[in-house]
């Protein structure tokens, strides 16, 4: 019996000492100035400023690096419409790195009297301005919108967005409008005012390459075009302006 009690006391003091060491270590880590955040870096930002991203995250210099809720910070950053993905990483002893992946605008849509930018997934990013950004305006059909950071929905809109994604970048940047009519036929309008009848959305990438080639050749020849019809990809029809 004395042996058993002695063993119990030993285990008790051993456990007490272990807990004391853990609590002491935790106290030192949470209070030590060594682990005070002094650097916050943002990586992957192009259109967003690092200052804006840091402000939204809620992480500030002077905060203990162990007290910073990095998961919550990433969630707040993800709420920014322009952000597709975000990760926050501790770099001991006093640095936090925020890595983000931004959404890239590919087109504009007119919503409630103002233009807004959308990405390849149709997500409403921010307000835009037609004619100055190199982004074509998608027109045709009804739209359903839930607000910034949410996908814009609409049958014609989704078809047009898919077409935009397949077009050569050089052609896309020279477009002022992409329209999908009620018959689902797609028409492109260049900044110069040339109408390009694409027909149905199938083979949009192939037709887009043809359109770009024809427009470049005719421009070099100094000919003014009223419209080009690429409804049949291999048999374009060109109408010149008088």
């Amino acid at each position: 019996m004395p042996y058993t009690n002695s063993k119990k006391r030993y285990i008790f003091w051993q456990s007490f000492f272990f807990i004391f060491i853990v609590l002491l270590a935790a106290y030192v880590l949470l209070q030590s100035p060594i682990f005070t955040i002094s650097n916050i870096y943002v990586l992957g930002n192009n259109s967003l400023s690092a200052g804006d991203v840091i402000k939204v995250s809620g992480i500030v210099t002077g905060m203990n690096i162990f007290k910073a809720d990095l998961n919550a910070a990433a969630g707040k950053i993800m709420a920014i419409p322009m952000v597709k993905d975000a990760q926050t990483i501790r770099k001991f002893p006093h640095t936090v790195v925020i890595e983000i992946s931004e959404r890239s605008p590919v087109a504009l849509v007119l919503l409630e009297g103002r233009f807004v930018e959308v990405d390849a997934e149709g997500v409403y990013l921010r307000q835009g301005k037609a004619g100055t950004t190199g982004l074509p305006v998608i027109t045709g059909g009804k739209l359903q919108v839930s607000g910034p950071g949410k996908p814009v929905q609409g049958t014609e809109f989704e078809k047009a967005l898919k077409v935009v994604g397949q077009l050569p970048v050089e052609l896309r940047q020279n477009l002022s409008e992409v329209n999908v009519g009620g018959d689902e036929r797609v028409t492109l309008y260049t900044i110069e005012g040339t109408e390009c009848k694409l027909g149905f959305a199938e083979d949009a990438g192939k037709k887009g390459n043809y359109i770009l080639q024809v427009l470049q050749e005719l421009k070099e020849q100094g000919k003014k075009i009223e419209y080009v019809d690429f409804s049949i990809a291999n048999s374009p029809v060109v109408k010149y302006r008088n």
Side-chain angles (χ1 to χ4, degrees), residues 79 81 150 164 220:
K150 304 295 182 181
V164 169
E220 291 173 358

Side-chain angles (χ1 to χ4, degrees), residues 19-241:
I19 294 172
F20 174 77
I21 293 298
V22 170
L23 292 176
L24 180 62
Y27 176 80
V28 171
L29 292 177
L30 293 175
Q31 300 300 322
S32 173
I34 296 176
F35 297 103
T36 297
I37 298 174
S38 58
N39 300 312
I40 305 174
Y41 299 121
V42 179
L43 305 178
N45 61 307
N46 293 308
S47 59
L48 296 171
S49 72
D52 288 342
V53 174
I54 293 171
K55 183 177 180 180
V56 170
S57 74
I59 300 174
V60 296
T61 56
M63 174 186 294
N64 185 278
I65 197 169
F66 292 101
K67 292 182 179 179
D69 191 336
L70 300 191
N71 290 331
K76 293 175 182 177
I77 297 169
M78 286 283 290
I80 302 174
M82 285 295 297
V83 176
K84 186 173 184 178
D85 189 28
Q87 293 183 338
T88 48
I89 305 166
R90 290 185 178 91
K91 295 287 187 179
F92 294 107
H94 46 63
T95 299
V96 171
V97 177
I98 300 173
E99 295 183 359
I100 67 172
S101 173
E102 290 186 352
R103 295 182 180 275
S104 299
V106 298
L108 299 168
V109 291
L110 185 62
L111 301 175
E112 299 178 347
R114 61 185 180 184
F115 290 104
V116 300
E117 297 178 354
V118 295
D119 73 346
E121 297 176 354
V123 175
Y124 177 153
L125 302 181
R126 60 189 177 187
Q127 291 189 41
K129 190 175 182 180
T132 60
T133 58
L135 302 176
V137 178
I138 292 178
T139 60
K142 296 181 179 180
L143 300 175
Q144 296 179 348
V145 187
S146 300
K150 304 295 182 181
V152 177
Q153 297 179 326
T155 302
E156 289 80 4
F157 165 76
E158 291 167 9
K159 288 182 180 297
L161 191 64
K162 186 176 181 180
V163 168
V164 169
Q166 295 177 16
L167 296 176
V169 175
E170 187 176 352
L171 175 61
R172 190 169 68 203
Q173 293 176 341
N174 193 42
L175 296 179
S176 62
E177 181 182 351
V178 177
N179 175 269
V180 177
D183 58 358
E184 297 187 355
R185 292 180 181 273
V186 182
T187 304
L188 313 177
Y189 297 89
T190 68
I191 295 174
E192 292 81 11
T194 302
E195 179 181 355
C196 306
K197 300 178 180 180
L198 207 65
F200 295 110
E202 287 75 14
D203 297 323
K206 181 180 180 180
K207 294 176 181 178
N209 284 319
Y210 278 132
I211 290 175
L212 183 60
Q213 181 180 347
V214 169
L215 291 179
Q216 289 176 337
E217 290 177 355
L218 294 176
K219 185 176 181 180
E220 291 173 358
Q221 297 171 13
K223 296 181 179 180
K224 296 183 178 180
I225 312 165
E226 183 174 330
Y227 72 79
V228 290
D229 190 338
F230 281 83
S231 298
I232 302 176
N234 296 321
S235 301
V237 177
V238 181
K239 182 179 180 181
Y240 300 100
R241 294 178 183 175

